[in-house]
Each structure stands twice: as structure tokens, then as C-alpha cells.
mmCIF file of all heavy atoms in Angstrom:
data_model
loop_
_atom_site.group_PDB
_atom_site.id
_atom_site.type_symbol
_atom_site.label_atom_id
_atom_site.label_comp_id
_atom_site.label_asym_id
_atom_site.label_seq_id
_atom_site.Cartn_x
_atom_site.Cartn_y
_atom_site.Cartn_z
ATOM 1 N N MET A 1 0.801 -1.187 0.000
ATOM 2 C CA MET A 1 0.000 0.000 0.000
ATOM 3 C C MET A 1 0.860 1.275 0.000
ATOM 4 O O MET A 1 0.565 2.182 -0.769
ATOM 5 C CB MET A 1 -0.946 -0.025 1.194
ATOM 6 C CG MET A 1 -1.886 1.124 1.231
ATOM 7 S SD MET A 1 -3.190 0.941 2.410
ATOM 8 C CE MET A 1 -2.475 1.714 3.821
ATOM 9 N N PRO A 2 1.894 1.373 0.805
ATOM 10 C CA PRO A 2 2.716 2.589 0.753
ATOM 11 C C PRO A 2 3.389 2.784 -0.609
ATOM 12 O O PRO A 2 3.589 3.919 -1.035
ATOM 13 C CB PRO A 2 3.762 2.380 1.841
ATOM 14 C CG PRO A 2 3.169 1.398 2.767
ATOM 15 C CD PRO A 2 2.306 0.512 1.915
ATOM 16 N N SER A 3 3.706 1.689 -1.282
ATOM 17 C CA SER A 3 4.346 1.840 -2.589
ATOM 18 C C SER A 3 3.391 2.450 -3.604
ATOM 19 O O SER A 3 3.816 3.218 -4.471
ATOM 20 C CB SER A 3 4.868 0.497 -3.085
ATOM 21 O OG SER A 3 3.801 -0.410 -3.272
ATOM 22 N N TYR A 4 2.098 2.119 -3.537
ATOM 23 C CA TYR A 4 1.116 2.752 -4.418
ATOM 24 C C TYR A 4 1.058 4.257 -4.155
ATOM 25 O O TYR A 4 1.025 5.056 -5.085
ATOM 26 C CB TYR A 4 -0.282 2.174 -4.201
ATOM 27 C CG TYR A 4 -0.481 0.797 -4.772
ATOM 28 C CD1 TYR A 4 -0.946 -0.231 -3.970
ATOM 29 C CD2 TYR A 4 -0.232 0.536 -6.107
ATOM 30 C CE1 TYR A 4 -1.140 -1.496 -4.480
ATOM 31 C CE2 TYR A 4 -0.423 -0.723 -6.633
ATOM 32 C CZ TYR A 4 -0.878 -1.738 -5.817
ATOM 33 O OH TYR A 4 -1.070 -2.983 -6.334
ATOM 34 N N LEU A 5 1.035 4.633 -2.888
ATOM 35 C CA LEU A 5 0.935 6.046 -2.538
ATOM 36 C C LEU A 5 2.174 6.818 -2.977
ATOM 37 O O LEU A 5 2.071 7.906 -3.557
ATOM 38 C CB LEU A 5 0.711 6.198 -1.037
ATOM 39 C CG LEU A 5 -0.578 5.583 -0.479
ATOM 40 C CD1 LEU A 5 -0.615 5.707 1.026
ATOM 41 C CD2 LEU A 5 -1.788 6.206 -1.111
ATOM 42 N N LEU A 6 3.335 6.263 -2.712
ATOM 43 C CA LEU A 6 4.577 6.950 -3.079
ATOM 44 C C LEU A 6 4.768 7.032 -4.592
ATOM 45 O O LEU A 6 5.180 8.061 -5.120
ATOM 46 C CB LEU A 6 5.767 6.260 -2.433
ATOM 47 C CG LEU A 6 5.873 6.413 -0.919
ATOM 48 C CD1 LEU A 6 7.029 5.587 -0.386
ATOM 49 C CD2 LEU A 6 6.054 7.866 -0.550
ATOM 50 N N SER A 7 4.470 5.937 -5.282
ATOM 51 C CA SER A 7 4.663 5.962 -6.732
ATOM 52 C C SER A 7 3.652 6.870 -7.414
ATOM 53 O O SER A 7 3.986 7.541 -8.397
ATOM 54 C CB SER A 7 4.599 4.547 -7.301
ATOM 55 O OG SER A 7 3.314 3.991 -7.102
ATOM 56 N N GLY A 8 2.422 6.921 -6.912
ATOM 57 C CA GLY A 8 1.438 7.833 -7.494
ATOM 58 C C GLY A 8 1.861 9.277 -7.342
ATOM 59 O O GLY A 8 1.783 10.075 -8.285
ATOM 60 N N MET A 9 2.338 9.633 -6.152
ATOM 61 C CA MET A 9 2.803 11.001 -5.930
ATOM 62 C C MET A 9 4.044 11.300 -6.755
ATOM 63 O O MET A 9 4.191 12.409 -7.282
ATOM 64 C CB MET A 9 3.087 11.236 -4.446
ATOM 65 C CG MET A 9 1.857 11.271 -3.607
ATOM 66 S SD MET A 9 2.076 11.780 -1.891
ATOM 67 C CE MET A 9 3.604 11.091 -1.402
ATOM 68 N N ALA A 10 4.929 10.324 -6.902
ATOM 69 C CA ALA A 10 6.168 10.545 -7.653
ATOM 70 C C ALA A 10 5.890 10.720 -9.145
ATOM 71 O O ALA A 10 6.438 11.634 -9.781
ATOM 72 C CB ALA A 10 7.131 9.390 -7.426
ATOM 73 N N VAL A 11 5.038 9.873 -9.697
ATOM 74 C CA VAL A 11 4.772 9.936 -11.139
ATOM 75 C C VAL A 11 4.031 11.219 -11.499
ATOM 76 O O VAL A 11 4.458 11.972 -12.377
ATOM 77 C CB VAL A 11 3.985 8.692 -11.599
ATOM 78 C CG1 VAL A 11 3.453 8.866 -13.008
ATOM 79 C CG2 VAL A 11 4.854 7.459 -11.513
ATOM 80 N N TYR A 12 2.931 11.482 -10.819
ATOM 81 C CA TYR A 12 2.151 12.665 -11.167
ATOM 82 C C TYR A 12 2.822 13.948 -10.675
ATOM 83 O O TYR A 12 2.667 14.999 -11.309
ATOM 84 C CB TYR A 12 0.724 12.548 -10.649
ATOM 85 C CG TYR A 12 -0.078 11.591 -11.496
ATOM 86 C CD1 TYR A 12 -0.252 10.269 -11.114
ATOM 87 C CD2 TYR A 12 -0.639 12.009 -12.691
ATOM 88 C CE1 TYR A 12 -0.968 9.387 -11.894
ATOM 89 C CE2 TYR A 12 -1.357 11.139 -13.481
ATOM 90 C CZ TYR A 12 -1.521 9.829 -13.078
ATOM 91 O OH TYR A 12 -2.219 8.963 -13.862
ATOM 92 N N GLY A 13 3.552 13.887 -9.594
ATOM 93 C CA GLY A 13 4.351 15.037 -9.178
ATOM 94 C C GLY A 13 5.450 15.329 -10.181
ATOM 95 O O GLY A 13 5.742 16.490 -10.477
ATOM 96 N N GLY A 14 6.049 14.279 -10.716
ATOM 97 C CA GLY A 14 7.067 14.457 -11.752
ATOM 98 C C GLY A 14 6.501 15.054 -13.025
ATOM 99 O O GLY A 14 7.123 15.923 -13.644
ATOM 100 N N LEU A 15 5.314 14.609 -13.418
ATOM 101 C CA LEU A 15 4.675 15.199 -14.595
ATOM 102 C C LEU A 15 4.335 16.674 -14.349
ATOM 103 O O LEU A 15 4.496 17.507 -15.246
ATOM 104 C CB LEU A 15 3.405 14.417 -14.953
ATOM 105 C CG LEU A 15 3.607 13.030 -15.532
ATOM 106 C CD1 LEU A 15 2.268 12.334 -15.702
ATOM 107 C CD2 LEU A 15 4.342 13.102 -16.851
ATOM 108 N N GLY A 16 3.877 16.970 -13.145
ATOM 109 C CA GLY A 16 3.602 18.360 -12.804
ATOM 110 C C GLY A 16 4.856 19.212 -12.812
ATOM 111 O O GLY A 16 4.850 20.355 -13.263
ATOM 112 N N TRP A 17 5.945 18.650 -12.319
ATOM 113 C CA TRP A 17 7.214 19.367 -12.322
ATOM 114 C C TRP A 17 7.677 19.642 -13.757
ATOM 115 O O TRP A 17 8.151 20.744 -14.065
ATOM 116 C CB TRP A 17 8.261 18.564 -11.566
ATOM 117 C CG TRP A 17 9.596 19.214 -11.524
ATOM 118 C CD1 TRP A 17 9.974 20.243 -10.724
ATOM 119 C CD2 TRP A 17 10.726 18.887 -12.341
ATOM 120 N NE1 TRP A 17 11.273 20.576 -10.981
ATOM 121 C CE2 TRP A 17 11.764 19.761 -11.971
ATOM 122 C CE3 TRP A 17 10.950 17.951 -13.329
ATOM 123 C CZ2 TRP A 17 13.006 19.707 -12.573
ATOM 124 C CZ3 TRP A 17 12.191 17.896 -13.932
ATOM 125 C CH2 TRP A 17 13.207 18.768 -13.553
ATOM 126 N N LEU A 18 7.530 18.638 -14.626
ATOM 127 C CA LEU A 18 7.908 18.847 -16.027
ATOM 128 C C LEU A 18 7.052 19.929 -16.675
ATOM 129 O O LEU A 18 7.564 20.758 -17.439
ATOM 130 C CB LEU A 18 7.782 17.534 -16.804
ATOM 131 C CG LEU A 18 8.847 16.492 -16.520
ATOM 132 C CD1 LEU A 18 8.525 15.199 -17.247
ATOM 133 C CD2 LEU A 18 10.221 17.008 -16.910
ATOM 134 N N LEU A 19 5.758 19.939 -16.394
ATOM 135 C CA LEU A 19 4.890 20.988 -16.923
ATOM 136 C C LEU A 19 5.290 22.358 -16.386
ATOM 137 O O LEU A 19 5.274 23.349 -17.131
ATOM 138 C CB LEU A 19 3.427 20.700 -16.566
ATOM 139 C CG LEU A 19 2.658 19.784 -17.494
ATOM 140 C CD1 LEU A 19 1.282 19.494 -16.925
ATOM 141 C CD2 LEU A 19 2.545 20.386 -18.874
ATOM 142 N N ASP A 20 5.637 22.410 -15.113
ATOM 143 C CA ASP A 20 6.089 23.675 -14.532
ATOM 144 C C ASP A 20 7.344 24.188 -15.228
ATOM 145 O O ASP A 20 7.454 25.380 -15.531
ATOM 146 C CB ASP A 20 6.370 23.522 -13.040
ATOM 147 C CG ASP A 20 5.118 23.533 -12.200
ATOM 148 O OD1 ASP A 20 4.071 24.000 -12.694
ATOM 149 O OD2 ASP A 20 5.186 23.078 -11.046
ATOM 150 N N ARG A 21 8.286 23.300 -15.454
ATOM 151 C CA ARG A 21 9.534 23.708 -16.112
ATOM 152 C C ARG A 21 9.265 24.162 -17.547
ATOM 153 O O ARG A 21 9.855 25.119 -18.027
ATOM 154 C CB ARG A 21 10.532 22.544 -16.130
ATOM 155 C CG ARG A 21 10.981 22.069 -14.770
ATOM 156 C CD ARG A 21 12.050 22.917 -14.236
ATOM 157 N NE ARG A 21 13.206 22.806 -15.133
ATOM 158 C CZ ARG A 21 14.402 23.192 -14.834
ATOM 159 N NH1 ARG A 21 14.637 23.706 -13.662
ATOM 160 N NH2 ARG A 21 15.387 23.069 -15.677
ATOM 161 N N TRP A 22 8.388 23.456 -18.244
ATOM 162 C CA TRP A 22 8.104 23.741 -19.640
ATOM 163 C C TRP A 22 7.337 25.053 -19.796
ATOM 164 O O TRP A 22 7.619 25.852 -20.678
ATOM 165 C CB TRP A 22 7.320 22.577 -20.242
ATOM 166 C CG TRP A 22 7.030 22.715 -21.706
ATOM 167 C CD1 TRP A 22 7.908 23.016 -22.690
ATOM 168 C CD2 TRP A 22 5.763 22.564 -22.323
ATOM 169 N NE1 TRP A 22 7.265 23.047 -23.898
ATOM 170 C CE2 TRP A 22 5.944 22.772 -23.698
ATOM 171 C CE3 TRP A 22 4.500 22.256 -21.852
ATOM 172 C CZ2 TRP A 22 4.907 22.692 -24.601
ATOM 173 C CZ3 TRP A 22 3.476 22.167 -22.765
ATOM 174 C CH2 TRP A 22 3.679 22.390 -24.116
ATOM 175 N N LEU A 23 6.355 25.291 -18.907
ATOM 176 C CA LEU A 23 5.514 26.482 -19.018
ATOM 177 C C LEU A 23 6.017 27.659 -18.189
ATOM 178 O O LEU A 23 5.495 28.762 -18.322
ATOM 179 C CB LEU A 23 4.080 26.139 -18.588
ATOM 180 C CG LEU A 23 3.370 25.089 -19.445
ATOM 181 C CD1 LEU A 23 2.040 24.732 -18.828
ATOM 182 C CD2 LEU A 23 3.205 25.591 -20.866
ATOM 183 N N GLY A 24 6.998 27.433 -17.335
ATOM 184 C CA GLY A 24 7.531 28.505 -16.506
ATOM 185 C C GLY A 24 6.611 28.900 -15.362
ATOM 186 O O GLY A 24 6.637 30.039 -14.926
ATOM 187 N N LEU A 25 5.809 27.989 -14.903
ATOM 188 C CA LEU A 25 4.883 28.249 -13.802
ATOM 189 C C LEU A 25 5.331 27.474 -12.571
ATOM 190 O O LEU A 25 6.321 26.757 -12.603
ATOM 191 C CB LEU A 25 3.460 27.833 -14.189
ATOM 192 C CG LEU A 25 2.857 28.535 -15.401
ATOM 193 C CD1 LEU A 25 1.549 27.894 -15.783
ATOM 194 C CD2 LEU A 25 2.663 30.009 -15.107
ATOM 195 N N SER A 26 4.580 27.600 -11.490
ATOM 196 C CA SER A 26 4.903 26.820 -10.297
ATOM 197 C C SER A 26 3.648 26.266 -9.642
ATOM 198 O O SER A 26 3.586 26.128 -8.432
ATOM 199 C CB SER A 26 5.688 27.674 -9.304
ATOM 200 O OG SER A 26 4.882 28.750 -8.878
ATOM 201 N N VAL A 27 2.646 25.958 -10.440
ATOM 202 C CA VAL A 27 1.383 25.504 -9.878
ATOM 203 C C VAL A 27 1.120 24.017 -10.140
ATOM 204 O O VAL A 27 0.396 23.380 -9.379
ATOM 205 C CB VAL A 27 0.223 26.384 -10.404
ATOM 206 C CG1 VAL A 27 -0.041 26.137 -11.874
ATOM 207 C CG2 VAL A 27 -1.023 26.160 -9.611
ATOM 208 N N PHE A 28 1.701 23.449 -11.173
ATOM 209 C CA PHE A 28 1.362 22.085 -11.548
ATOM 210 C C PHE A 28 2.024 21.024 -10.672
ATOM 211 O O PHE A 28 1.515 19.927 -10.563
ATOM 212 C CB PHE A 28 1.702 21.827 -13.019
ATOM 213 C CG PHE A 28 0.808 22.579 -13.955
ATOM 214 C CD1 PHE A 28 1.287 23.656 -14.678
ATOM 215 C CD2 PHE A 28 -0.512 22.223 -14.098
ATOM 216 C CE1 PHE A 28 0.467 24.358 -15.533
ATOM 217 C CE2 PHE A 28 -1.350 22.916 -14.951
ATOM 218 C CZ PHE A 28 -0.851 23.987 -15.667
ATOM 219 N N PHE A 29 3.144 21.337 -10.068
ATOM 220 C CA PHE A 29 3.816 20.368 -9.212
ATOM 221 C C PHE A 29 2.958 19.972 -8.006
ATOM 222 O O PHE A 29 2.713 18.781 -7.792
ATOM 223 C CB PHE A 29 5.190 20.889 -8.773
ATOM 224 C CG PHE A 29 5.936 19.976 -7.850
ATOM 225 C CD1 PHE A 29 6.362 18.728 -8.286
ATOM 226 C CD2 PHE A 29 6.199 20.351 -6.548
ATOM 227 C CE1 PHE A 29 7.049 17.886 -7.439
ATOM 228 C CE2 PHE A 29 6.875 19.518 -5.701
ATOM 229 C CZ PHE A 29 7.305 18.280 -6.144
ATOM 230 N N PRO A 30 2.450 20.930 -7.211
ATOM 231 C CA PRO A 30 1.590 20.511 -6.092
ATOM 232 C C PRO A 30 0.277 19.885 -6.549
ATOM 233 O O PRO A 30 -0.218 18.956 -5.914
ATOM 234 C CB PRO A 30 1.338 21.796 -5.308
ATOM 235 C CG PRO A 30 1.938 22.895 -6.053
ATOM 236 C CD PRO A 30 2.723 22.345 -7.178
ATOM 237 N N ILE A 31 -0.266 20.364 -7.675
ATOM 238 C CA ILE A 31 -1.490 19.761 -8.201
ATOM 239 C C ILE A 31 -1.215 18.323 -8.617
ATOM 240 O O ILE A 31 -2.021 17.427 -8.364
ATOM 241 C CB ILE A 31 -2.040 20.588 -9.376
ATOM 242 C CG1 ILE A 31 -2.587 21.914 -8.862
ATOM 243 C CG2 ILE A 31 -3.121 19.824 -10.127
ATOM 244 C CD1 ILE A 31 -2.991 22.877 -9.955
ATOM 245 N N GLY A 32 -0.085 18.077 -9.249
ATOM 246 C CA GLY A 32 0.280 16.724 -9.659
ATOM 247 C C GLY A 32 0.436 15.792 -8.472
ATOM 248 O O GLY A 32 0.015 14.637 -8.521
ATOM 249 N N ILE A 33 1.035 16.284 -7.400
ATOM 250 C CA ILE A 33 1.191 15.452 -6.201
ATOM 251 C C ILE A 33 -0.170 15.099 -5.618
ATOM 252 O O ILE A 33 -0.425 13.953 -5.252
ATOM 253 C CB ILE A 33 2.086 16.160 -5.170
ATOM 254 C CG1 ILE A 33 3.525 16.147 -5.657
ATOM 255 C CG2 ILE A 33 1.993 15.482 -3.813
ATOM 256 C CD1 ILE A 33 4.490 16.861 -4.758
ATOM 257 N N LEU A 34 -1.059 16.076 -5.535
ATOM 258 C CA LEU A 34 -2.387 15.816 -4.979
ATOM 259 C C LEU A 34 -3.212 14.877 -5.867
ATOM 260 O O LEU A 34 -3.906 13.994 -5.362
ATOM 261 C CB LEU A 34 -3.129 17.134 -4.762
ATOM 262 C CG LEU A 34 -2.574 18.030 -3.670
ATOM 263 C CD1 LEU A 34 -3.334 19.340 -3.624
ATOM 264 C CD2 LEU A 34 -2.607 17.335 -2.323
ATOM 265 N N VAL A 35 -3.130 15.058 -7.177
ATOM 266 C CA VAL A 35 -3.839 14.159 -8.096
ATOM 267 C C VAL A 35 -3.280 12.746 -7.986
ATOM 268 O O VAL A 35 -4.029 11.766 -7.941
ATOM 269 C CB VAL A 35 -3.758 14.687 -9.545
ATOM 270 C CG1 VAL A 35 -4.219 13.643 -10.543
ATOM 271 C CG2 VAL A 35 -4.584 15.950 -9.689
ATOM 272 N N GLY A 36 -1.965 12.622 -7.943
ATOM 273 C CA GLY A 36 -1.342 11.309 -7.792
ATOM 274 C C GLY A 36 -1.729 10.639 -6.492
ATOM 275 O O GLY A 36 -1.987 9.434 -6.452
ATOM 276 N N LEU A 37 -1.786 11.391 -5.424
ATOM 277 C CA LEU A 37 -2.194 10.838 -4.132
ATOM 278 C C LEU A 37 -3.650 10.390 -4.172
ATOM 279 O O LEU A 37 -3.989 9.307 -3.686
ATOM 280 C CB LEU A 37 -1.980 11.867 -3.024
ATOM 281 C CG LEU A 37 -2.274 11.413 -1.607
ATOM 282 C CD1 LEU A 37 -1.372 10.257 -1.212
ATOM 283 C CD2 LEU A 37 -2.110 12.572 -0.650
ATOM 284 N N GLY A 38 -4.503 11.203 -4.762
ATOM 285 C CA GLY A 38 -5.914 10.835 -4.872
ATOM 286 C C GLY A 38 -6.126 9.581 -5.702
ATOM 287 O O GLY A 38 -6.894 8.696 -5.320
ATOM 288 N N LEU A 39 -5.438 9.487 -6.833
ATOM 289 C CA LEU A 39 -5.573 8.292 -7.669
ATOM 290 C C LEU A 39 -4.989 7.057 -6.989
ATOM 291 O O LEU A 39 -5.515 5.955 -7.131
ATOM 292 C CB LEU A 39 -4.901 8.522 -9.021
ATOM 293 C CG LEU A 39 -5.607 9.507 -9.940
ATOM 294 C CD1 LEU A 39 -4.762 9.766 -11.181
ATOM 295 C CD2 LEU A 39 -6.981 9.012 -10.323
ATOM 296 N N ALA A 40 -3.919 7.236 -6.240
ATOM 297 C CA ALA A 40 -3.319 6.113 -5.525
ATOM 298 C C ALA A 40 -4.246 5.615 -4.415
ATOM 299 O O ALA A 40 -4.384 4.406 -4.217
ATOM 300 C CB ALA A 40 -1.966 6.511 -4.945
ATOM 301 N N ILE A 41 -4.879 6.531 -3.703
ATOM 302 C CA ILE A 41 -5.832 6.123 -2.666
ATOM 303 C C ILE A 41 -7.003 5.374 -3.297
ATOM 304 O O ILE A 41 -7.470 4.367 -2.763
ATOM 305 C CB ILE A 41 -6.297 7.352 -1.856
ATOM 306 C CG1 ILE A 41 -5.152 7.845 -0.982
ATOM 307 C CG2 ILE A 41 -7.522 7.027 -1.011
ATOM 308 C CD1 ILE A 41 -5.425 9.159 -0.305
ATOM 309 N N TYR A 42 -7.467 5.849 -4.441
ATOM 310 C CA TYR A 42 -8.551 5.160 -5.139
ATOM 311 C C TYR A 42 -8.115 3.757 -5.572
ATOM 312 O O TYR A 42 -8.878 2.801 -5.455
ATOM 313 C CB TYR A 42 -8.995 5.999 -6.335
ATOM 314 C CG TYR A 42 -10.106 5.365 -7.127
ATOM 315 C CD1 TYR A 42 -11.371 5.212 -6.580
ATOM 316 C CD2 TYR A 42 -9.896 4.920 -8.424
ATOM 317 C CE1 TYR A 42 -12.394 4.623 -7.295
ATOM 318 C CE2 TYR A 42 -10.907 4.341 -9.154
ATOM 319 C CZ TYR A 42 -12.152 4.194 -8.584
ATOM 320 O OH TYR A 42 -13.163 3.606 -9.298
ATOM 321 N N LEU A 43 -6.899 3.628 -6.059
ATOM 322 C CA LEU A 43 -6.397 2.325 -6.464
ATOM 323 C C LEU A 43 -6.281 1.387 -5.278
ATOM 324 O O LEU A 43 -6.625 0.211 -5.380
ATOM 325 C CB LEU A 43 -5.034 2.476 -7.165
ATOM 326 C CG LEU A 43 -4.399 1.199 -7.681
ATOM 327 C CD1 LEU A 43 -5.249 0.582 -8.770
ATOM 328 C CD2 LEU A 43 -3.006 1.477 -8.197
ATOM 329 N N VAL A 44 -5.813 1.881 -4.168
ATOM 330 C CA VAL A 44 -5.728 1.070 -2.948
ATOM 331 C C VAL A 44 -7.128 0.629 -2.523
ATOM 332 O O VAL A 44 -7.337 -0.515 -2.141
ATOM 333 C CB VAL A 44 -4.999 1.835 -1.823
ATOM 334 C CG1 VAL A 44 -5.181 1.154 -0.492
ATOM 335 C CG2 VAL A 44 -3.533 1.990 -2.151
ATOM 336 N N TYR A 45 -8.084 1.530 -2.607
ATOM 337 C CA TYR A 45 -9.461 1.187 -2.266
ATOM 338 C C TYR A 45 -9.985 0.075 -3.173
ATOM 339 O O TYR A 45 -10.626 -0.861 -2.713
ATOM 340 C CB TYR A 45 -10.367 2.408 -2.361
ATOM 341 C CG TYR A 45 -11.818 2.078 -2.294
ATOM 342 C CD1 TYR A 45 -12.405 1.706 -1.106
ATOM 343 C CD2 TYR A 45 -12.617 2.100 -3.450
ATOM 344 C CE1 TYR A 45 -13.762 1.378 -1.047
ATOM 345 C CE2 TYR A 45 -13.947 1.779 -3.400
ATOM 346 C CZ TYR A 45 -14.522 1.410 -2.203
ATOM 347 O OH TYR A 45 -15.843 1.073 -2.141
ATOM 348 N N LEU A 46 -9.705 0.173 -4.478
ATOM 349 C CA LEU A 46 -10.191 -0.845 -5.402
ATOM 350 C C LEU A 46 -9.545 -2.206 -5.136
ATOM 351 O O LEU A 46 -10.208 -3.231 -5.242
ATOM 352 C CB LEU A 46 -9.912 -0.427 -6.845
ATOM 353 C CG LEU A 46 -10.772 0.683 -7.411
ATOM 354 C CD1 LEU A 46 -10.349 0.988 -8.836
ATOM 355 C CD2 LEU A 46 -12.237 0.318 -7.367
ATOM 356 N N ARG A 47 -8.268 -2.217 -4.819
ATOM 357 C CA ARG A 47 -7.556 -3.489 -4.645
ATOM 358 C C ARG A 47 -7.749 -4.101 -3.272
ATOM 359 O O ARG A 47 -7.813 -5.316 -3.139
ATOM 360 C CB ARG A 47 -6.081 -3.309 -4.909
ATOM 361 C CG ARG A 47 -5.818 -2.963 -6.345
ATOM 362 C CD ARG A 47 -4.370 -3.169 -6.664
ATOM 363 N NE ARG A 47 -4.150 -2.790 -8.035
ATOM 364 C CZ ARG A 47 -3.714 -3.642 -8.953
ATOM 365 N NH1 ARG A 47 -3.460 -4.880 -8.631
ATOM 366 N NH2 ARG A 47 -3.532 -3.228 -10.175
ATOM 367 N N ILE A 48 -7.819 -3.300 -2.254
ATOM 368 C CA ILE A 48 -7.846 -3.829 -0.875
ATOM 369 C C ILE A 48 -9.203 -3.605 -0.201
ATOM 370 O O ILE A 48 -9.683 -4.465 0.526
ATOM 371 C CB ILE A 48 -6.721 -3.188 -0.041
ATOM 372 C CG1 ILE A 48 -5.378 -3.567 -0.649
ATOM 373 C CG2 ILE A 48 -6.789 -3.626 1.401
ATOM 374 C CD1 ILE A 48 -4.197 -2.856 -0.033
ATOM 375 N N GLY A 49 -9.807 -2.459 -0.433
ATOM 376 C CA GLY A 49 -10.976 -2.060 0.321
ATOM 377 C C GLY A 49 -12.274 -2.741 -0.032
ATOM 378 O O GLY A 49 -13.218 -2.726 0.726
ATOM 379 N N ARG A 50 -12.362 -3.350 -1.168
ATOM 380 C CA ARG A 50 -13.622 -3.969 -1.564
ATOM 381 C C ARG A 50 -13.884 -5.213 -0.796
ATOM 382 O O ARG A 50 -13.563 -6.199 -0.703
ATOM 383 C CB ARG A 50 -13.614 -4.279 -3.055
ATOM 384 C CG ARG A 50 -13.895 -3.080 -3.883
ATOM 385 C CD ARG A 50 -14.102 -3.547 -5.258
ATOM 386 N NE ARG A 50 -14.405 -2.432 -6.138
ATOM 387 C CZ ARG A 50 -14.766 -2.616 -7.367
ATOM 388 N NH1 ARG A 50 -14.864 -3.808 -7.877
ATOM 389 N NH2 ARG A 50 -15.017 -1.598 -8.130
#
């Protein structure tokens, strides 16, 4: 379960960081981390919580 949470935050946080670097902004990195965390929690719910 922790690996799902960490990898979700890392992947989507990394995509947000790349978007920030490309567009010159600083908003997509935290949004990417939160989206990754939300999707990871949903995945954990689907695999374990049912």
C-alpha cells in the first residue's frame, strides 16, 4: 500500500514538475502530487478495500 501512494505522488508530481519547467509556472507540481495521491488512494481502495 505505501508503494502505491509513493509511486502515485512521484509519477504525477514528476509530470507536474515537467509541466512547470516547460511552461515557466509553479502551480502544476503541487497539483500533480495531490492528483497522484488521490488516484493512488482510489487504487488502494479498489484493490484492498472492496
Side-chain angles (χ1 to χ4, degrees):
M1 184 168 92
S3 63
Y4 286 126
L5 298 175
L6 290 175
S7 64
M9 290 189 323
V11 168
Y12 285 97
L15 289 174
W17 180 78
L18 287 174
L19 275 174
D20 281 341
R21 297 278 297 195
W22 183 50
L23 297 174
L25 300 172
S26 63
V27 70
F28 291 109
F29 178 65
I31 290 173
I33 288 178
L34 292 176
V35 168
L37 184 61
L39 290 174
I41 289 171
Y42 180 67
L43 182 64
V44 167
Y45 168 74
L46 287 179
R47 294 196 182 241
I48 298 172
R50 281 190 179 188

